[in-house]
Structures are given as structure tokens and as C-alpha cells.
Amino acid sequence: MKPITVLLVDDHLVVRSGLKALLGTQPDIDVVAEAASGEDALALAEQLSPAVVVMDLAMGPGMDGIEAIKQLRRQNARQAVLVFTTYDSDADIVRAVDAGAMGYLLKDAAPEEIFAAIRGAVQGKSVMSAPVASRLFQQLRNPDEILTPREAELLSLLIEGLSNRELGRRLFISEATVKTHLAHIYAKLGVETRAAAIATAIRREGMR
Amino acid sequence: MKPITVLLVDDHLVVRSGLKALLGTQPDIDVVAEAASGEDALALAEQLSPAVVVMDLAMGPGMDGIEAIKQLRRQNARQAVLVFTTYDSDADIVRAVDAGAMGYLLKDAAPEEIFAAIRGAVQGKSVMSAPVASRLFQQLRNPDEILTPREAELLSLLIEGLSNRELGRRLFISEATVKTHLAHIYAKLGVETRAAAIATAIRREGMR
DNA sequence: GGGCGTATCAGCCAAATGGCTGAGAGACCA
DNA sequence: TGGTCTCTCAGCCATTTGGCTGATACGCCC
């Protein structure tokens, strides 16, 4: 039985070496290379074709994890990509899965969970940490929460801190209409005040 | 020459083992224990009195890093505390330094920088990563914008989306006082509404 | 043609928020 | 001792926001 070859991608040296040490305890998992950037990851994946790529999403300047996953898919490499990141923002999860990630793990996952995810990934099984899965599930289960294009537009201005009057001016609609849209947005987000809407919107979407 | 004893505190196993491996390459640095929570950290610090405590700020549920630092100071332990974290938010830096941290390192710091910080810490030298230092410098240059501890506390709840009444209840103060604090916060942040305050706070501080 | 979703607007009223002034208590420092 | 900072609270008033009901118009689909 050949060991599973793994490429680690993370811009933090300590995370790479920690993960490497952790995976080193498993005889059937073999870390063959490490990359500190998306660019390096692509080159190494091409060159070594590891079975699994374990990738952080946030990677400082340059190509981010999502973009790296997309590129990997394009250069029709057949390795499975596992996202291994600190935060479970809704937008990141959706984007990563969309880009072709096989799994989504949080950095505080138990070691066994990480091993299982890697073994599962090579067999085409998709694995995600419990909190991640529940978030994704909620998104799918609750189509009510999908904002209309206009609402999304308004929300994106709302989180800039604009008042109703300013929102109306910016979108060429009356304040009354602004209030209507806001009421719908609040209902969909499950909040009651604009402050809470801003807070949850930024957190849910990873917006900045 | 006795080696410098170090206690690692981070809720992520991979970070701990990576850092341990990294520090293990230095003969004069000796990792004597690891803790995954603030509570554990306090107990271990008491028991082992390491020379330096290297601590992450974000640590899941329970006591956060800042609180752990404060407690460490209180139980008049003489170990130097080095903050070792992913993000360089303004508020975190100020709060950590305020709580008594000797240094503030980012996780993507170079290994040499980390070693130097630990060696410096035992000699009472405070070390921080370049981006952190520049932020702190800006804060000092602009004393108007420094929030008082109470204001920072209020702000951190504000960005959760709480109303004035809820803020008052949570902090055991009247709504009138909440409004006073808010007015000061708005002035310091240069905004006029709570929505804008939330938006700029989250953007400026990288809060989540 | 009749629904359905989306976007637009109005008016009314209660509640929340923000701006203002003023003030007392405690801590810290020169 | 006096000055400064911080935290606390009060009252007043204008503005903003949120909840409600109801309405028109456009496009899409069956």
C-alpha cells in the first residue's frame, strides 16, 4: 500500500511544520512538499502531483486560497483539495466548495478528524468540520435568506454605515423604499436593527 | 547557562506543535509545557513558572488571551508574556500591551524574529513585529483616537449589534451612560452614527 | 389571463438614537 | 492641593429608525 502523498499550503511556517509533524505520525500519510503561497502550490502540484493538497485560504499578498483551488482544477490535476483554515465564514465555505474543494476543516479540528478527511478525500469523499457543515446546511435549508439583487446592493451600502437618506440618494429611490428594503433584509437575516444587520452581514459574508 | 523555559498557549494543536518544533531548534530555548486554554495556561504558569509565556489571543470559548494575560499579571508571576497571533488589530494590540504583554508577534514572523523576541523578553526588552509597531506608533501619534478600556469594551459589544438598552444591561450601567460612552466613541472614530461606527470599527480593527 | 416575485412609494406612530449641557465620584499625577 | 482622566448619570429635544398597512407597476411563467 503506497502512502497518501500530501502537499501543504499555508503562509505560516509554524502551521506548516505543526501540521507536518502531526501528519508524520500516520504511516499511511506522507507530506511530500510544502508551499507558502498559491503560486508555489501550483508549481509543486504540477511537478509532484500529490494525492491531496491541504490548503489555507488566507495567504497574505498574492494569490489567495480560493484562486489557487480554481487554478488547480483548471490545470486538470486530479488531486483532492482540502481547505484547512481558521475561520468558518459562510462566504468562504461556499466559495471554496464552488471552486472545487473536497473538504473544509477548521484549524482547531481534532487530529483524527484531519486524518480521516485526508483519507476520505482520496476516495472522493467530502468531509467538513461539524460547524462548517451546519453552516452550509443552513444555507441550503433556508432559501428564504437569499437576498434579491436590489437588497444585496442596499446591504452592501448599509455596511458602509450610510443612513436611510443617504441610501436613498445613492440608489435614486425614496426613503420609504429604502425602509421597505431594509425591513425585508432584516427579516431575511433574522435581525431587528440595522446595527445587528451590519454586524451579521459582515460576519456572515466575511465582508470588509 | 540555563535554557529559557517557555510555556506555549494556543488552542490550535498544529500551531503549538509547529512552534514547539521551531523553538526546539534553539538550544537555549526550552518549551516546558503547552496549554490549549487560558485556564490551563494559568495553572501551568503557576506550577512551572516558565520564564516566558507565548500566547495566542483568540482562543475559542472561555477565557481569551487578554484576560489570561491580566490574570497572569495578577498572580504576580514574573514571566514575560509574548503575544503570538494571526491578526494585528489595533484594539488587540493596545489591549494586550495594556494587560502587560512584553511583545506582540504575528504568526508569519520570521523564525529569527521569534527567537529574538523570546530572548529579549527575559531581559525585559519589548519586541514587536514591524507591522504591529507601526500601528502602535500611529496610535500614539494620534492620542485622540485611543479608546479608554471601557469604551473599547462597549465598542466590542456594539459591533455585536446590541441596542443601547442591551449594552446597559450587559455592562451594568444606565442607558444614559451608554449614550455618553457612545458619543465619545463616535467622536474618536470620526463618525456620527452607530452604523458607521460598527462599519469602521470592524474595518479598522479587523474584528470579527 | 392570473399568479408570483421584485421594486417602487405613502402615511402613521412608537421606539431608538444622537446632540447638548451639566454634574458627581474616584484615581492618578505633579 | 489642584488639575486631568475616566466612569457614571440626568434631562431635553430633534432626528432617525422600525413596524405596520396598503398600493402601483413591471416582468415572468404556466
Side-chain angles (χ1 to χ4, degrees), chain B residues 45-177:
Chain B
E46 174 107 69
Q47 189 185 325
L48 305 170
S49 10
V52 179
V53 178
V54 175
M55 167 128 49
D56 191 1
L57 284 189
M59 278 191 305
M63 187 185 302
D64 74 345
I66 300 283
E67 188 54 37
I69 296 174
K70 283 189 195 159
Q71 297 278 351
L72 273 178
R73 303 284 79 188
R74 252 174 241 148
Q75 67 184 40
N76 80 337
R78 286 178 320 149
Q79 53 271 120
V81 178
L82 277 182
V83 173
F84 184 67
T85 192
T86 308
Y87 297 103
D88 56 341
S89 99
D90 287 353
D92 281 349
I93 297 172
V94 172
R95 284 167 61 222
V97 170
D98 221 53
M102 274 306 295
Y104 198 109
L105 293 168
L106 297 184
K107 283 190 180 164
D108 50 7
E112 293 73 26
E113 200 175 354
I114 299 174
F115 303 148
I118 291 178
R119 295 189 185 110
V122 295
Q123 300 176 312
K125 284 186 201 159
S126 102
V127 191
M128 33 193 64
S129 296
V132 175
S134 82
R135 288 212 176 208
L136 203 55
F137 181 71
Q138 280 197 325
Q139 292 254 332
L140 292 179
R141 233 177 46 93
N142 221 339
D144 289 356
E145 294 193 5
I146 298 178
L147 299 182
T148 67
R150 195 55 159 170
E151 286 163 1
E153 200 177 354
L154 210 139
L155 181 59
S156 75
L157 291 176
L158 183 69
I159 66 177
E160 301 291 329
L162 299 184
S163 69
N164 288 351
R165 185 166 308 174
E166 291 169 320
L167 289 171
R169 271 204 242 283
R170 200 75 88 76
L171 297 174
F172 305 106
I173 57 180
S174 77
E175 253 183 271
T177 307

Side-chain angles (χ1 to χ4, degrees), chain A residues 14 18 22 87 159 199 203 208, chain B residues 13-14 18 87 159 199 203 208:
Chain A
V14 291
L22 190 65
Y87 297 105
I159 65 178
R203 276 170 189 67
R208 297 204 163 219
Chain B
L13 182 127
V14 292
Y87 297 103
I159 66 177
R203 277 170 189 70
R208 298 215 162 207

Side-chain angles (χ1 to χ4, degrees), chain A residues 56-137:
Chain A
D56 191 2
L57 284 189
M59 278 192 304
M63 186 186 302
D64 73 345
I66 299 282
E67 187 53 35
I69 296 174
K70 283 187 194 161
Q71 297 278 351
L72 273 179
R73 303 283 80 189
R74 253 174 241 150
Q75 67 184 39
N76 79 340
R78 287 178 320 152
Q79 52 270 116
V81 178
L82 277 181
V83 172
F84 184 66
T85 191
T86 309
Y87 297 105
D88 55 341
S89 102
D90 287 353
D92 281 349
I93 298 171
V94 173
R95 282 167 61 222
V97 170
D98 222 51
M102 274 307 295
Y104 198 108
L105 294 168
L106 297 184
K107 284 191 180 164
D108 50 10
E112 293 73 26
E113 200 175 353
I114 299 174
F115 304 149
I118 291 179
R119 294 188 186 112
V122 295
Q123 301 175 312
K125 283 186 201 159
S126 105
V127 192
M128 31 193 65
S129 296
V132 175
S134 82
R135 286 211 176 206
L136 204 53
F137 183 69

Side-chain angles (χ1 to χ4, degrees), chain B residues 19-43:
Chain B
L19 198 46
K20 190 173 178 180
L22 190 64
L23 297 180
T25 65
Q26 302 305 105
D28 62 331
I29 297 178
D30 194 4
V31 176
V32 294
E34 302 175 31
S37 71
E39 290 81 358
D40 290 356
L42 290 180

